[in-house]
Amino acid sequence: MEPIRYGMIGGGQGAFIGGVHRTAAAIAGNWRLVAGALSATPEKAMASGAEIGLPTERAYGSWSEMLEREAALPADRRIEAVAIVTPNHMHAPPAVAAMESGFDVIIDKPLADTLANAQAIADAAVRTGRRIAVTHTYTGYPLVKLARRLVAGGGFGAVRRVMVRYTQDWLSRAADLIDNKQAEWRVDPARSGDAGAFGDIGTHAANLVEFITGERIAAICAELTMLPGRHIDDDGAALFRLSGGGKGTLTASQVCVGDMNDLAIAVYCDEAGLHWRQEEPNTLTIKRRDRPDEVYHAGANRAYVPGDLLAIQRTPGGHPEGYLEAFANIYRAFGERLRGAPAGEDEPGYATMDDALAGMKFLRAALRSSRAGAVWVDI
Amino acid sequence: MEPIRYGMIGGGQGAFIGGVHRTAAAIAGNWRLVAGALSATPEKAMASGAEIGLPTERAYGSWSEMLEREAALPADRRIEAVAIVTPNHMHAPPAVAAMESGFDVIIDKPLADTLANAQAIADAAVRTGRRIAVTHTYTGYPLVKLARRLVAGGGFGAVRRVMVRYTQDWLSRAADLIDNKQAEWRVDPARSGDAGAFGDIGTHAANLVEFITGERIAAICAELTMLPGRHIDDDGAALFRLSGGGKGTLTASQVCVGDMNDLAIAVYCDEAGLHWRQEEPNTLTIKRRDRPDEVYHAGANRAYVPGDLLAIQRTPGGHPEGYLEAFANIYRAFGERLRGAPAGEDEPGYATMDDALAGMKFLRAALRSSRAGAVWVDI
Amino acid sequence: MEPIRYGMIGGGQGAFIGGVHRTAAAIAGNWRLVAGALSATPEKAMASGAEIGLPTERAYGSWSEMLEREAALPADRRIEAVAIVTPNHMHAPPAVAAMESGFDVIIDKPLADTLANAQAIADAAVRTGRRIAVTHTYTGYPLVKLARRLVAGGGFGAVRRVMVRYTQDWLSRAADLIDNKQAEWRVDPARSGDAGAFGDIGTHAANLVEFITGERIAAICAELTMLPGRHIDDDGAALFRLSGGGKGTLTASQVCVGDMNDLAIAVYCDEAGLHWRQEEPNTLTIKRRDRPDEVYHAGANRAYVPGDLLAIQRTPGGHPEGYLEAFANIYRAFGERLRGAPAGEDEPGYATMDDALAGMKFLRAALRSSRAGAVWVDI
Amino acid sequence: MEPIRYGMIGGGQGAFIGGVHRTAAAIAGNWRLVAGALSATPEKAMASGAEIGLPTERAYGSWSEMLEREAALPADRRIEAVAIVTPNHMHAPPAVAAMESGFDVIIDKPLADTLANAQAIADAAVRTGRRIAVTHTYTGYPLVKLARRLVAGGGFGAVRRVMVRYTQDWLSRAADLIDNKQAEWRVDPARSGDAGAFGDIGTHAANLVEFITGERIAAICAELTMLPGRHIDDDGAALFRLSGGGKGTLTASQVCVGDMNDLAIAVYCDEAGLHWRQEEPNTLTIKRRDRPDEVYHAGANRAYVPGDLLAIQRTPGGHPEGYLEAFANIYRAFGERLRGAPAGEDEPGYATMDDALAGMKFLRAALRSSRAGAVWVDI
């Protein structure tokens, strides 16, 4: 199968997530980076392109230039898709333009800075018939997919209670905003949207809840906070109600000292409880009352791992795969879909427009709830 | 030092917590059980007394009989204190009567079934000058005491966020209420009070938060639930605000399948995060940004454990002590205080009347919040 | 059931293990300490007796005095058994004398300082018909008993390989021998026997292997070492062969820095691997190829724990029991046997003379092997 | 920096490790696969080449053809290095020929099937002046490199004791040899060499010991075993002595049921103990007597990770990197060296010829020891 030729928008020197996307695509094996508009500053865009080995003529000075000139190339040479890895407020314009230029889109989460912009992307997708994948990375882990089958599949009965947390500490000090490209835009409402930590990582946590339970978060009561001197949330927690009647708590914080990237979820159903933690992603624990706790391993040499989940692992059990491989699984699945492979029975392998819009609505409801003094808001 | 002679009220055949109190007192070494009114049914009270080796003449048929007859014994023979281990609604009458008869009281938590009854106990204590200890067991663990010194002591800066959970699964099935003495009264409003899981274990979780942070829970927004057919909560969660400005989440459930007695807390301060889990009580983890995570061990051969915490451990490091030893530490501390030892600089070693009343107020606020649709209630 | 009246030999002021025995007996509930010869120095023996509340007339100045005077008391008052908690070289004389005086014996491990002395105890037991229990504490843990049923019971097939370790660090520094009563005799060949760490803790490790596998260690190739300036081993490791054909490694060290009391075992059989670690004694992990790892909990509310193992736990699941409770289980079982209860089908609940002699032979073989340059020695 | 153009020998359809090498090289980013002789069967070699996207003219039918024709290409087009991923007995011929054709070599471990063949490779390297890297993957983990600095750097004092194990279960059943390409050659003396598990994974364990301690294994007493019907070892254990005087145990087995790829090491020095386990490679634990255990994280946002180790991580702390990234680090370091970068002060970033020869000598000594009945053999 010929790799998908893609161009990247954003991800130049000093950026973090662009390199992650490129490595993920390389691990996936069915994508090939052939063009890029890696920075909004043309000189930096060119230099960044050279640094990662793009041919000069396809390291463009702006994304609009890239879309225009690539569209003019012969069909078997031009890019087929773009990967958008810019700050949130720069998602919608290139996404819409790319689709209108005939390109499919893979885009970092959250979908956009505002629900309106997210909706604009969604509308463009419908209008143009292009496909979109949103990189909610954590659903790329094989054991998260297994968790979904166990819970959303219904085998454990109804979902009663969920506890999810996503805690980091890289903004825990006032000084963390100084000279930190990652931090700077994330805490600036003009570039990140109205939400800080809840947009950056709270949406991941909410997506994980919805992915594993197969339900939507139907109502939320959230209280967001921030360190003195900051303008958008760097910390917050919420009670929530699931569409199926279960209840939950969600904490998202970038000021929880000592935690690096501590996304963890517990889902309690009528018959079993399920536990997963991103920092040790290769085990999944199922607890029941009348039998020993069961610890599943991601390893490809364990017969209990379904065949299609084996197929997205590259090494035998006990050879840990991590974040980049989970990310690669999203690229791989989207690439296969673009090449015509049928979606899995259960889920396509990446977050869809619907999933991403649900995340945007979750976020808007959380902000509204918090501004009103932490009252319940329906989604 | 002569052991404290005590009589037990409740804790007869089929009861659970009475045996725990007796074993804890035996491990503590400074208490001696000499009398008992172990059941509200005289025959059962007598049989229970015989079973645990009480002399016939001091196995009483009712607690009022015990109080009266013991008070009539010579001062060097009669009981000095009572341990009350009855269901919640039977706490206040014997506690008040015991104090009025001149006996000190150690009593299982929560202090009473209602705030009014709790207040009646408190009033009696003031009136009679007797001492009361409430067995919030989990503060008896040496590493919980160390956690308090680290957090409430202020060395980590202000408390930002707390996550506490206390989850069990022994009521997770409808059938769990049938033929289960432990379950029966706990889910009966007439005996347990208006609260179920939040009273039984939520108060432990709240007490742990207040003990470690040295603050009070100042406001709460709680949503309590229950399985179909039940009348009081078996599950719930809350957002809360601490008196010092920090925020938190609390989950208490007896229907979280797979969890046995999973009390766990994370406290995030300006400079460090602290993590402790009751099911592995002999480690305490401190995480900071600029140094490796630190794992403290309870062991008596680790120099970093303060001397007075070494003194409440019976074995060298690596010989795990558990729940019964934590419970014993509460008896030991109360016994020492009754024998005239000065309280520690920091905390007396057991939950006081004030702590217990705070727990009752927390509980009432949680119930009010939930009944009003999960709105914020100040405490 | 009337408690066993016992007297203690050794365990006075400054000693460690004597207090552990007394607390264990108190937790067990079916023993009562009524006499003691707690030190070889009469004044200290008396003072120690007073401190722990022995009546003056039964705090004896020497063990021979205790045996003689107790034997002269009426049958319903005198001690029925002695607990011997002296250093190793002082095990045999009181043990033999006690049995000859008509008392049963519970004795700390290893059985004696030399195989000859151990054999003398064994001979006396046969001659007098008295019973002996040796406190190999770690087999008192409920999950170790469960491990034995799973492995020695044969359900996992033949034992292929064992890895066992017992590492501590309390002798890791030269200075550790100065002013340390625990250390002093353990590293003195005249009091501890020829073996140091291998006698003190290596025998525990060997006992654990034999208990869980139901086999004997048949041959050993050991290399023991010690820090400069010491006279007996403080560290060593061995290859061994089991009577059933399996192989293993054993490490025992008191100079492994950072380890407190780290006894851990892995047993690999044809169909499953089993893992247990003393510092977290309430979980037992079973791993197989075609199903998730299984984590057993000791908790009394888990249906997979056999009824007789539930009966030796005092609290529901999730309320951790530890070293003292394991120790108590040994006292309890021996006490029940002395009161006429039949032994369990599988194992009596304490290490027998045979088990203890096997430990002594293991130890002698290890020493011989090491002295010959770490060659194989049959046991 | 222009990527290294390389050709792969072995690694065609059905092979495992070839794909790992290719993905690792892709993650490293400084290698480009441009040619291959992927199978000893020409048709399969061609088909395999097509499958992974090699241009037809550079998918060669044999390695000799590849070496000859690549050498004839212009210097700026031809391969610069070969990656050899064939079974052990097919390492030496292409390695020697490649070097003689002017190519550098990266080669899977162990270096060869016999010490003589390994020596032939070493001789060729000296003769031709070409460079060789051997992929002892596990030293590519950042925290293993940190472990080396802590231990071999001398900060913890002398090494006293090492425990290392490498256990798997994929050969635990007789049937595992049927229709299993991975297993087949590994248990065939003609293709794997005289050693089975000790060659396949025991050498990794030995390499890890030598890497972290900075010492060599100087003597060994090993007992290797195998299941009935097999011809080379699938399981074994050894005592060993380090060149610096420390002692150790090593277990390597492919029949330890339940273990997937369980390489774990503990190194005890005068002042600290160090613990690392490959299945959770992103934490490293250091234990000392007088301070809490320290858990290091690999994360790039932890200041205690040295800068050059940060540089070989692709994601911030808490985004787990795994086996493929460790493998990539080896490719990256070798590639940088081939481009003229100076070696690190401490270690080059990959196993050198010397390291690999040490491994071969370790292996030969282990086999000799075992055949002689598990006696000591100097290395």
Side-chain angles (χ1 to χ4, degrees), chain A residues 62-120:
Chain A
S62 73
W63 57 260
S64 51
E65 183 194 351
M66 179 171 82
L67 295 179
E68 187 180 345
R69 289 178 46 189
E70 287 289 326
L73 291 177
D76 64 347
R77 276 208 69 216
R78 70 173 168 242
I79 57 173
E80 302 169 80
V82 297
I84 299 178
V85 296
T86 46
N88 302 348
H89 72 302
M90 282 302 298
H91 281 190
V96 171
M99 288 187 283
E100 290 179 339
S101 302
F103 304 125
D104 295 309
V105 172
I106 185 164
I107 188 166
D108 212 72
K109 52 53 40 195
L111 185 51
D113 52 344
T114 65
L115 182 53
N117 281 335
Q119 193 60 55

Side-chain angles (χ1 to χ4, degrees), chain A residues 165 176 223 259 268 289, chain B residues 165 176 241 259 268 289:
Chain A
R165 58 177 297 174
D176 289 326
E223 185 168 49
D259 288 358
Y268 297 95
R289 274 179 62 163
Chain B
R165 58 174 299 171
D176 290 325
R241 298 169 186 152
D259 290 357
Y268 297 95
R289 274 179 62 165

